[in-house]
């Protein structure tokens, strides 16, 4: 499958899911403007729609019809968008799909509530699905969704705990466990298992597909981490080196923290522990940056002495936020990037990612019970896409 | 039923729900400490357990068994605790059930994730319920939960929108619509409908019970708002006058804003628009209070001039937070309380609450198909409890 064909398969699947989503999210009524409109925000931004495509392709490659899988593809995409909103709050992300994150525009309270409302709305098509694919399969889909929600919350909990405790004594295995839960289950295993369920695949075949999805998910996440550091602004929907600003635990940073010399490691750890300077809209750290700059300027002009300055900085620190000197600078992030380059951590990540993709390919090639079709082609081409994509 | 008997009924129902919840939340494994432990935090704090009791009493009053309703009572309580965590984040609440809110202790990212994980876990007993009460009733329970989650997100969206737009041109009808969604559906209609479903009640009987629950829910919420302003610290799990600090839209404040003279109303609106000073742990406004105090002290001592002070205040304002003078003071909250007293808004609220409770009582008394029993007694006594309770 050429890259153009692959993109067109992705687009078609997205359109299928979006048609259903438009049916699910109410378009009028009293809560239209204050709630349902906001639910369309992320789904309507440009996105790959990997999840609906995986769901559709798996189902159809196993002989399922496009009619039977539409609702399930929509459920997968709806859950994804709900979690994206909450993840962006949890990670303090600034941008998503070429625009500011929902919580930056509308505030954390509204963003958390919109995410909850989307999770609630997703329950209704899960139940409606019974009329389309029958009770047994619809219940199995529900079970998969329940498991997925639990696995991804566990993965997120592990990562948030590492961040909270500034834990960097971690191995590739720790990372792979977290990513298996956070990315594989959520982005790959769930759509593939749901697609297989809708098509009525046997438990053994579902198990094979699940393994394929797990491996591909890990390859995908590592490549995502690589792109975050090497991608060009514009080609990639998120901020450049956002992972470093956030102090995120990627395979790359973990490798660098194991490989760098003691002195470099200590400096890197200190930088990673610093907060990111937030966009001015609402976060607390924004205040600190502004005030820090103002204090510098006032001191330069002799309008305040060092004592007064120290007192104000202390007040900021007492407030629980980072002191003005404790926010990452661009120079520091550039230092981390350089250190990562020196340690060969990007190459390490690329090779690990490639290894998982090859294993996924080998599993798929041995699954001869999946007849040749454009849908099988899509699944095969996706492997190359996952590790070669530039966004 | 005496007050002691009512409390013991509540305690027994809570224990029934907690026994099931202990089965649902994993107690060991890798994510135990970083995720599942935190899920027990709110459920184990002292609480009334109104929701499980309503579910159990309705079911048993209609002839259902205690064995058949345990899982459903747990589901109701689990959802409630998940939403509490997210609500506390959304409302910026400081305390919950005699302790600091989860997000104040562990930060917003972890709190949002724990709430999501609880919502995910609640799906599993919803499915398990099939083995206990059969497919049809278990699916109906699922539908009720889906509707509840949507209704309460809608109610929350209405309220968050009023707060965001500082909307005070509101009538009792606006308030009742919001509270019907936010409180009635969530705290009363859902447990009652689920209890009725488990017992196999007919659609007509379920409709009557739903109306009873809706009216009681409104009475309950208004009394809750009253208690927030008149309760004594310690007797009531939340902070005193927390609603005024938060600038919440209660029937009481809305009545005061309609009744007060123009000048008072303008001052009240200005006060309500101010942010609450947050506890120092993590929120941005905490920074502003500390810095405001420090700036005052420095200026008093002549260490900074008014120009420098203004520049720093501007920097704080530019950061998106309130300027230091824009945080509510205790004197201002006391002014609001006094204004509310002068307008007779508490009496107005009490009388509206009583009116709804009486309607609920009249519906229940006409439902002669509910045989006399301790469970029917509980539902009847609950009406008095809702409007007479002091916490």
């Amino acid at each position: 499958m050429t890259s153009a064909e692959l993109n067109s398969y992705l687009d078609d699947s997205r359109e299928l899911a979006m048609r259903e989503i438009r049916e699910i999210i109410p378009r009028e009524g009293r809560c239209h403007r204050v709630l349902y409109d906001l639910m369309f925000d992320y789904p309507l931004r440009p996105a790959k729609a990997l999840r609906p495509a995986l769901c559709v392709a798996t189902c159809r490659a196993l002989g399922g019809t496009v009619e039977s899988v539409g609702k399930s593809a929509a459920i997968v995409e709806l859950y994804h968008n709900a979690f994206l909103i909450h993840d962006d709050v949890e990670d303090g992300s600034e941008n998503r799909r070429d625009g500011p994150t929902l919580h930056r525009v509308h505030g954390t309270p509204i963003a958390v509530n919109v995410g909850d409302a989307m999770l609630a709305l997703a329950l209704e098509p899960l139940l409606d699905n019974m009329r389309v694919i029958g009770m047994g399969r619809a219940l199995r889909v529900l079970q998969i969704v329940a498991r997925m929600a639990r696995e991804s919350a566990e993965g997120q909990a592990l990562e948030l705990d590492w961040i909270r405790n500034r834990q960097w004594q971690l191995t590739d295995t720790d990372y792979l466990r977290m990513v298996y839960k956070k990315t594989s289950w959520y982005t790959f295993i769930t759509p593939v298992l749901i697609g297989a369920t809708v098509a009525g695949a046997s438990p053994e075949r579902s198990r094979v597909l699940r393994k394929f999805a797990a491996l591909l998910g890990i390859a995908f996440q590592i490549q995502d981490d690589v792109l975050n550091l090497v991608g060009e602004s514009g080609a990639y929907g998120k901020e450049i080196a956002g992972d470093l600003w956030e102090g995120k635990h990627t395979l790359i940073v973990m490798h660098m923290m194991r490989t760098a010399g003691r002195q470099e490691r200590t400096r890197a750890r200190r930088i990673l522990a610093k907060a990111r300077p937030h966009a001015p809209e609402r976060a607390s750290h924004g205040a600190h940056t502004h005030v820090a700059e103002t204090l510098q300027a006032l001191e330069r002009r002799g309008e305040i002495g060092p004592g007064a300055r120290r007192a104000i900085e202390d007040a900021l620190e007492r407030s629980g936020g980072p002191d003005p000197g404790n926010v990452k600078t661009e120079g520091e992030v550039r230092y981390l990037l350089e250190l990562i380059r020196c340690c060969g951590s990007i190459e390490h990540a690329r090779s690990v990612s490639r290894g998982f993709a090859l294993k996924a390919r080998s599993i798929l090639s041995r699954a001869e019970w999946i007849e040749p079709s454009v849908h099988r082609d899509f699944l095969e081409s996706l492997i190359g896409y996952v590790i070669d994509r530039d966004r």
Side-chain angles (χ1 to χ4, degrees), chain A:
Chain A
M1 197 175 255
T2 66
S3 161
E5 286 167 334
L6 186 116
N7 282 320
S8 130
Y9 196 100
L10 285 165
D11 288 346
D12 290 349
S13 306
R14 177 163 189 257
E15 199 28 53
L16 179 71
M18 279 309 297
R19 261 204 306 276
E20 287 282 345
I21 288 178
R22 283 194 198 92
E23 303 267 311
I24 297 164
I25 302 180
R27 302 235 59 170
E28 39 202 70
R30 188 160 292 113
C31 295
H32 169 56
R33 191 183 49 79
V34 300
L35 182 62
Y36 296 116
D37 249 12
L38 304 183
M39 285 192 194
F40 279 107
D41 185 341
Y42 279 11
L44 289 179
R45 297 188 189 185
K48 291 187 289 288
L50 205 56
R51 292 155 198 85
L54 270 166
C55 184
V56 171
T58 307
C59 174
R60 302 206 63 197
L62 296 172
T65 63
V66 68
E67 291 76 25
S68 65
V69 78
K71 238 179 242 305
S72 299
I75 291 162
V76 160
E77 190 62 6
L78 211 49
Y79 261 93
H80 174 50
N81 282 281
F83 281 138
L84 278 184
I85 297 175
H86 284 183
D87 278 358
D88 285 345
V89 168
E90 291 167 28
D91 299 343
S93 300
E94 308 269 296
N95 297 303
R96 169 69 65 187
R97 294 178 177 168
D98 302 334
T101 47
L102 200 73
H103 68 94
R104 260 182 71 204
V105 181
H106 301 281
T108 295
I110 288 177
V112 172
N113 190 53
V114 171
D116 282 345
M118 285 173 92
L119 292 176
L121 268 193
L123 280 173
E124 301 186 6
L126 274 167
L127 290 167
D128 277 355
N129 223 352
M130 299 199 178
R131 285 185 292 109
V132 186
I133 55 173
M135 185 81 86
R137 290 181 190 176
L139 285 177
R140 178 82 191 103
V141 170
L142 236 165
Q143 276 166 340
I144 297 167
V145 166
R147 169 89 187 264
M148 174 269 287
R150 193 159 59 76
E151 292 282 354
S152 50
E154 286 188 4
Q156 187 76 353
L158 287 175
E159 193 179 21
L160 290 172
D161 185 63
W162 292 344
I163 294 173
R164 186 186 199 185
N165 296 312
R166 296 172 181 179
Q167 172 67 270
W168 288 104
Q169 308 281 13
L170 296 158
T171 63
D172 278 3
T173 314
D174 295 316
Y175 172 85
L176 295 174
R177 193 180 292 129
M178 185 270 285
V179 160
Y180 168 74
K181 288 177 176 293
K182 231 188 96 157
T183 308
S184 286
W185 251 100
Y186 171 60
T187 309
F188 288 82
I189 297 177
T190 303
V192 162
L193 276 187
I194 290 179
T197 301
V198 173
S202 68
E204 307 90 87
R205 289 183 175 180
S206 288
R207 252 195 303 280
V208 172
L209 285 165
R210 175 175 156 173
K211 200 165 175 200
F212 160 74
L215 295 165
L216 196 55
I218 292 171
F220 175 87
Q221 182 60 57
I222 300 173
Q223 176 66 5
D224 219 51
D225 297 344
V226 168
L227 285 175
N228 189 279
L229 300 191
V230 305
E232 301 218 356
S233 181
Y236 188 65
K238 303 176 199 164
E239 5 162 30
I240 288 307
D243 289 353
L244 296 182
W245 287 103
E246 283 175 23
K248 224 171 143 184
H249 289 68
T250 64
L251 193 80
I252 299 162
V253 176
M254 291 178 180
H255 179 267
M256 176 270 277
M257 291 296 277
R258 289 196 305 264
T259 315
R262 186 132 74 103
Q263 227 175 332
E264 286 77 18
R265 206 159 59 218
T266 307
R267 183 166 170 206
R269 179 188 299 276
R270 239 194 329 258
I271 296 172
L272 287 164
K274 292 185 182 189
R276 65 181 302 168
H278 273 256
E281 276 84 339
R282 17 194 83 253
S284 62
H285 305 158
H288 298 87
T289 325
H290 276 302
V291 178
E293 282 162 7
T294 306
L295 292 177
Q296 274 164 13
L298 289 170
E299 202 177 2
R300 256 196 321 272
R301 295 203 300 269
E303 292 190 39
I304 56 169
R309 188 194 158 149
R310 181 68 52 84
I312 295 165
E313 285 175 353
D314 283 353
L316 279 165
E317 208 179 343
R318 270 206 318 279
S319 76
D323 68 84
N326 211 5
V327 165
K328 287 189 191 77
T329 64
E330 218 173 300
E332 287 172 331
V333 170
R334 251 186 266 117
Y335 172 80
L336 292 178
L337 274 171
E338 182 58 20
L339 198 56
I340 283 167
R341 202 189 57 73
C342 291
C343 292
S345 306
I346 302 255
E347 288 68 31
H348 169 70
R350 277 202 167 114
S351 116
V352 175
S353 170
R354 201 161 289 275
F356 279 96
L358 287 177
K359 279 190 215 164
R361 172 166 292 154
S362 131
I363 286 179
L364 192 60
S365 70
R366 275 178 286 139
E368 287 161 359
W369 35 271
I370 309 179
E371 302 290 329
S373 72
V374 62
H375 313 295
R376 182 181 172 122
D377 272 6
F378 172 79
L379 292 176
E380 275 166 1
S381 309
L382 202 60
I383 303 170
Y385 167 82
V386 156
I387 48 176
D388 294 329
R389 72 206 162 97
D390 61 0
R391 58 172 290 158

